[in-house]
Amino acid sequence: MTMRLLLAALVWGGGTLAATIPKALAQEAVNIRGTIRSVESAAVRVETRDGAQVTVALPEGVPLSATGPFSLADVKPGMVLGVTTVRRADGATVAIDIRPIPETARQGLSPWDLAPEATMTNAAVSGVVEAASSRSLTLTYPGGTVTALVLPETAMSRAVPGGRDDLKVGEAIFIFARRGADGALTAARVQVGKDGLKPTQ
């Protein structure tokens, strides 16, 4: 059951039940991708990819990383990656974004909003195959396997230690945020671009 359906079921019987819903359930997860337009002590204003302007609160201590280089040369068997893929017209599964993630991250396959009909696979590398015009990664997670083509245009990066000093006007930014019942956005995790590298995610 989705969060919206769960909330609808809880409040369907009347307004008295709404007060019993935990605050965490009343918050919607939102991925924000765009360019920093202004930075304040406790907030950042972002122009999103569709041209909207949003302000996101930055709580004290929110995890904030910068973006560093990563390539297939860095990939080792058993490494856990987050790989966003799309299905090409010919049926091939193509990676559009690859990044290492913590080994403790939950592994599996789920929809992802980086591109239309994209899928995110969090899984361990079980094979790398080199071909004349492309390379492919085989990713294995509990209950499944995905093989994805890696093309020259596939974005690859990694999160590296960062801080609020990395929040600069004009830099690309990715924010995993929560939207409260009042519509306000609060960052739960932030990654900002650095040295020309963008956090696509």
Side-chain angles (χ1 to χ4, degrees):
M1 181 180 290
T2 67
M3 185 67 70
R4 288 182 179 177
L5 290 175
L6 175 60
L7 291 174
L10 287 171
V11 301
W12 183 256
T16 56
L17 287 180
T20 68
I21 300 173
K23 183 177 180 180
L25 286 181
Q27 295 182 330
E28 175 191 3
V30 181
N31 290 331
I32 298 169
R33 303 176 179 88
T35 304
I36 297 174
R37 291 306 179 209
S38 68
V39 181
E40 302 173 7
S41 59
V44 61
R45 185 164 59 89
V46 177
E47 181 177 345
T48 65
R49 296 185 301 179
D50 60 4
Q53 301 277 335
V54 297
T55 298
V56 186
L58 298 175
E60 191 69 29
V62 64
L64 197 159
S65 58
T67 304
F70 184 72
S71 70
L72 278 182
D74 300 311
V75 174
K76 303 293 186 285
M79 177 181 286
V80 179
L81 301 177
V83 179
T84 304
T85 60
V86 294
R87 186 64 61 88
R88 204 165 59 184
D90 62 2
T93 298
V94 178
I96 59 173
D97 184 67
I98 300 174
R99 55 195 172 87
I101 60 176
E103 293 184 0
T104 55
R106 183 176 179 179
Q107 296 187 25
L109 184 149
S110 60
W112 192 238
D113 63 351
L114 179 58
E117 300 184 11
T119 299
M120 169 69 76
T121 302
N122 290 347
V125 176
S126 55
V128 180
V129 176
E130 303 247 1
S133 59
S134 66
R135 290 169 287 185
S136 65
L137 279 175
T138 300
L139 306 158
T140 301
Y141 58 90
T145 298
V146 170
T147 298
L149 291 177
V150 182
L151 305 179
E153 60 267 31
T154 299
M156 301 183 71
S157 65
R158 70 165 76 233
V160 298
R164 295 195 180 222
D165 289 345
D166 294 307
L167 297 174
K168 299 175 181 178
V169 173
E171 287 287 3
I173 192 170
F174 170 86
I175 304 174
F176 174 72
R178 299 285 185 183
R179 190 191 306 276
D182 60 356
L185 293 165
T186 302
R189 178 170 60 85
V190 178
Q191 185 175 341
V192 63
K194 189 172 184 179
D195 299 330
L197 293 171
K198 299 180 179 181
T200 49
Q201 296 203 34

